[in-house]
Amino acid sequence: MQIQDLPYPDPGVPDARSGPRFLWWLGRNQLDGQVKALAWGLLHFLAVSALPFCVGLAVQSVIDRSGTRLALTGALMVGCGTCIALGELMLHRTAVTNWITAAARVQQLLARKTALLGSALTQRVAAGEVVAVSTGDVEKIGWFVEGVSRFSAAAVTVVVVCVTLVVYQPALGVIVAVGVPVLAVAVLPLLPRATRRADFQREKAGRATELASDTVAGLRVLRGIGGEELFLDRYRRASQEVRRAAVRSARMWSLISAIQVLLPGLLMIAVVWRGVQLARDGRIEVGELVTVYSAVMLLTYPLRHFEEIAMAYSFSRPSARRAARVLSLERAVDSTGSLPAEVPDGDLYDPVTGLLAPAGRLTAVVCGDPDAAGLLAERLGGHASEPERIEEPEAGRGPGNTSVVLGGVPLDELPLESARTAVLVQDKDPVLLSGSLRELLDVPASGLVSAEAALSAAQCGDVLDALAQGSLDAGDPMDARITERGRSLSGGQRQRLALARSLITDPEVLVLDEPTSAVDSHTEARIAEGVRSLRAGRTTVVFTSSPLLLDHADRVVLVHDGEVVAVGAHRELVRTEPRYRAVVTRETEEEAAAGTADRTALGDVTADDEAVLDGVLEEIEETA
């Protein structure tokens, strides 16, 4: 696999049972790249290791006054230099390729899992952890894969050099052969403590990152309530904890590095001391002593990769564990489905609550509990986050099947892609990705709804003007830039752009969860009319308690305590259903116990009157 061939056609099915198993699986899938790295690494390291023998031959040729051998030795050194340069170049190329392709494989796996789980992912794993896995952890896993590429060649080279020295000069070679393994394993007892400190540091850093992300996301609200300094103080304390943890971790790695410098120095002293004695006794020649000394000195170069692989594994193991945790998550239902890939149409029915959304109609759903409304919206789109308990079938609910049904077809039995094509769910807090407005609206769509029509229905005229003013270099508002998560826009502007994006997709069923909670009443009334007109003939379900939206719905459904308790028109339900009236008019228990005359008066209030009243209240609040 070359970098230009990325992304992978199929990243594979990972072994996510544990972090080490995931790393082993990743290594098996990088086998070709690792073999190439090993070959080029051996060429590089063995050429480096051959230099001491060339130096020894050159010194001995000068002592013996042999010009022929000296010339041959010079030619041999030129060949070694060429192999060193070529080997280093290609080793770096293959090792970096292994790193990038491994990181790309992990990112593809994470992206595929994110798309598979949808909103259920952040319900099981913190959003900050998902971000950490997809950024920093991917980099550390790639570092380990790259380190293996270099370490394998370095390890083979060390073994070859030690064996060669034993054969070439047994008296000194044995010292080297015994001392080098000691150098390689000397730091192993310190690695567990270093790993624990590194894990503690990453835990603190993750907490600080999550706290910073939450603070930035809610900065506008924090300033409004005067809580900005409080959260900043919390972040300062968290960052100081990260600093202290980083210092403790750095001390341990500094000690490991010091040992890696000290022990090779002691080995070199032992070799020189013993070599001088043997040279005085005439048992070895000066050239042989120089050869062994140079070989020991250059052995520190491949030995450094032993420390690197230890550090890489120490940092990548918890990263792989977190990645494996995310990749091991599964949907509540099978994503492949048992039915053929098709996009059904017809009525949308939820057997758990009894909610029915007739085909081609605008259905409004009122829930007293916003969290229950969000969960029901996810259910309608086939996004159940946890396996649901199958209870005994009740009258009128079928044989225990709790899957949402579209046109008589259970969504859980459809392939995931078909189910999500048929039903699109926009939650109450949609995310806007950074980029141009044109890129934001470039989503899979039927092609029947233009961007202009969707923006008009969502009342985004003032949003386009604001984007155009903020991007002076953009001649077309569609080329205006949107900042990360749309933070430069107000809540209502973000909400309307997200609604326009959903309208462009033109799905068979569109589920909107509080799509106008952040806009004023006048804009909300125009949005209600625009959505109703644009979605004519399509099934639309809106979760809301706004009288303006409810008054434009063909059908209003009240869901109370997890089941449908009333169905009808908005004005009818206001007059006849106290529970509905309590949610829509924000009526308190004391008001609900008031007389019939008062209730009738409330029921006679029209949507237009409520809009005017809301506008008056807003003007009073702005004046205050």
Side-chain angles (χ1 to χ4, degrees):
M1 171 63 69
Q2 298 297 319
I3 295 178
Q4 68 234 25
D5 298 325
L6 295 174
Y8 290 94
D10 181 12
V13 180
D15 186 349
R17 290 176 290 177
S18 65
R21 288 179 182 272
F22 177 66
L23 290 175
W24 175 249
W25 174 86
L26 198 61
R28 292 203 313 269
N29 283 274
Q30 301 284 123
L31 192 58
D32 291 344
Q34 295 294 347
V35 171
K36 291 179 182 178
L38 176 61
W40 290 114
L42 286 176
L43 176 64
H44 172 67
F45 286 118
L46 290 177
V48 171
S49 302
L51 287 177
F53 295 95
C54 296
V55 172
L57 289 175
V59 171
Q60 196 61 42
S61 299
V62 172
I63 294 175
D64 296 340
R65 299 180 181 276
S66 174
T68 302
R69 283 194 297 166
L70 185 61
L72 292 175
T73 303
L76 183 60
M77 294 183 71
V78 171
C80 288
T82 302
C83 292
I84 290 173
L86 178 62
E88 170 64 15
L89 174 65
M90 297 307 297
L91 173 61
H92 179 74
R93 178 185 177 89
T94 53
V96 171
T97 299
N98 290 338
W99 175 68
I100 293 177
T101 52
R105 186 187 298 274
V106 177
Q107 286 180 327
Q108 278 188 252
L109 291 170
L110 291 170
R112 185 174 67 179
K113 182 63 65 173
T114 301
L116 178 68
L117 294 174
S119 60
L121 177 61
T122 52
Q123 294 175 2
R124 305 188 198 182
V125 181
E129 184 173 348
V130 176
V131 173
V133 171
S134 60
T135 54
D137 286 337
V138 168
E139 182 178 352
K140 292 180 178 65
I141 292 172
W143 176 30
F144 174 72
V145 173
E146 179 191 9
V148 170
S149 302
R150 302 178 186 275
F151 167 75
S152 56
V156 174
T157 301
V158 168
V159 173
V160 171
V161 170
C162 289
V163 172
T164 303
L165 287 178
V166 171
V167 175
Y168 176 74
Q169 180 46 253
L172 295 178
V174 171
I175 298 177
V176 177
V178 173
V180 167
V182 175
L183 298 182
V185 302
V187 298
L188 292 182
L190 299 178
L191 288 180
R193 181 178 298 179
T195 301
R196 288 194 297 270
R197 291 189 179 186
D199 290 347
F200 183 74
Q201 175 195 349
R202 281 188 292 275
E203 179 183 347
K204 292 295 184 180
R207 169 59 182 160
T209 301
E210 185 176 347
L211 185 60
S213 177
D214 291 342
T215 302
V216 172
L219 193 57
R220 182 176 300 180
V221 177
L222 291 175
R223 286 174 175 171
I225 63 176
E228 182 179 3
E229 287 299 324
L230 174 63
F231 274 77
L232 288 177
D233 288 340
R234 289 181 181 177
Y235 178 74
R236 291 190 188 100
R237 290 194 297 270
S239 63
Q240 288 302 312
E241 292 178 359
V242 174
R243 181 189 62 80
R244 288 190 290 269
V247 170
R248 293 183 70 249
S249 178
R251 286 174 180 170
M252 183 56 65
W253 288 111
S254 298
L255 176 60
I256 293 175
S257 298
I259 293 175
Q260 291 290 325
V261 173
L262 175 63
L263 294 184
L266 294 178
L267 176 62
M268 192 174 298
I269 292 173
V271 170
V272 172
W273 178 75
R274 179 57 178 166
V276 169
Q277 288 183 334
L278 295 176
R280 285 179 177 177
D281 295 341
R283 297 169 58 183
I284 63 171
E285 297 180 350
V286 175
E288 293 176 331
L289 176 60
V290 172
T291 298
V292 177
Y293 170 78
S294 301
V296 174
M297 182 177 64
L298 289 180
L299 269 179
T300 57
Y301 172 52
L303 280 174
R304 284 204 301 268
H305 292 81
F306 284 71
E307 177 188 357
E308 180 186 2
I309 195 63
M311 292 182 64
Y313 180 72
S314 172
F315 279 88
S316 66
R317 188 180 64 176
S319 297
R321 184 172 63 246
R322 286 193 290 267
R325 181 190 172 204
V326 174
L327 294 175
S328 65
L329 299 175
E330 297 293 340
R331 291 187 75 238
V333 294
D334 186 10
S335 61
T336 58
S338 58
L339 298 178
E342 61 179 10
V343 180
D345 56 7
D347 297 344
L348 184 69
Y349 176 67
D350 177 26
V352 173
T353 60
L355 172 63
L356 174 66
R361 307 285 295 279
L362 173 59
T363 301
V365 181
V366 176
C367 289
D369 183 0
D371 294 333
L375 294 176
L376 180 53
E378 291 179 357
R379 272 188 49 78
L380 294 180
H383 298 282
S385 59
E386 296 293 341
E388 296 168 355
R389 183 175 65 254
I390 306 299
E391 300 178 354
E392 290 297 325
E394 299 178 13
R397 290 204 178 186
N401 184 10
T402 61
S403 171
V404 173
V405 178
L406 176 60
V409 180
L411 291 181
D412 289 351
E413 298 180 16
L414 284 174
L416 182 61
E417 183 177 356
S418 298
R420 291 186 175 173
T421 301
V423 183
L424 174 66
V425 179
Q426 176 183 303
D427 60 25
K428 61 171 61 69
D429 188 22
V431 176
L432 300 183
L433 302 179
S434 60
S436 68
L437 180 58
R438 193 183 309 278
E439 292 170 341
L440 174 70
L441 301 180
D442 184 16
V443 293
S446 66
L448 300 178
V449 178
S450 65
E452 292 75 13
L455 290 169
S456 176
Q459 300 300 310
C460 294
D462 63 316
V463 183
L464 297 180
D465 295 338
L467 290 174
Q469 293 175 3
S471 302
L472 300 179
D473 56 341
D476 187 348
M478 296 295 290
D479 296 325
R481 303 293 297 180
I482 298 176
T483 58
E484 181 185 1
R485 299 181 68 91
R487 290 197 174 100
S488 61
L489 302 172
S490 68
Q493 291 173 329
R494 289 196 300 268
Q495 203 170 56
R496 282 177 280 163
L497 284 179
L499 176 59
R501 179 179 59 185
S502 299
L503 292 174
I504 286 178
T505 61
D506 190 33
E508 185 64 33
V509 178
L510 177 60
V511 179
L512 303 172
D513 187 6
E514 294 290 353
T516 59
S517 58
V519 301
D520 61 81
S521 58
H522 302 289
T523 304
E524 187 176 30
R526 292 193 294 268
I527 290 176
E529 185 59 39
V531 171
R532 179 186 176 89
S533 175
L534 190 64
R535 291 287 299 172
R538 291 289 200 178
T539 306
T540 307
V541 181
V542 181
F543 286 82
T544 183
S545 59
S546 167
L548 291 171
L549 285 178
L550 294 171
D551 199 44
H552 283 82
D554 299 315
R555 174 186 174 95
V556 179
V557 178
L558 174 63
V559 177
H560 182 72
D561 289 339
E563 63 180 34
V564 173
V565 296
V567 179
H570 164 60
R571 302 189 186 191
E572 174 189 353
L573 292 176
V574 166
R575 289 192 300 268
T576 61
E577 177 54 60
R579 289 172 295 186
Y580 179 83
R581 183 169 56 249
V583 175
V584 173
T585 64
R586 311 298 194 272
E587 190 180 56
T588 64
E589 294 182 358
E590 291 78 6
E591 292 171 335
T596 305
D598 293 336
R599 293 181 179 179
T600 304
L602 283 173
D604 291 335
V605 176
T606 64
D608 294 335
D609 294 334
E610 291 172 348
V612 174
L613 180 59
D614 289 343
V616 172
L617 291 175
E618 288 178 2
E619 292 177 0
I620 294 174
E621 290 173 355
E622 292 176 358
T623 304

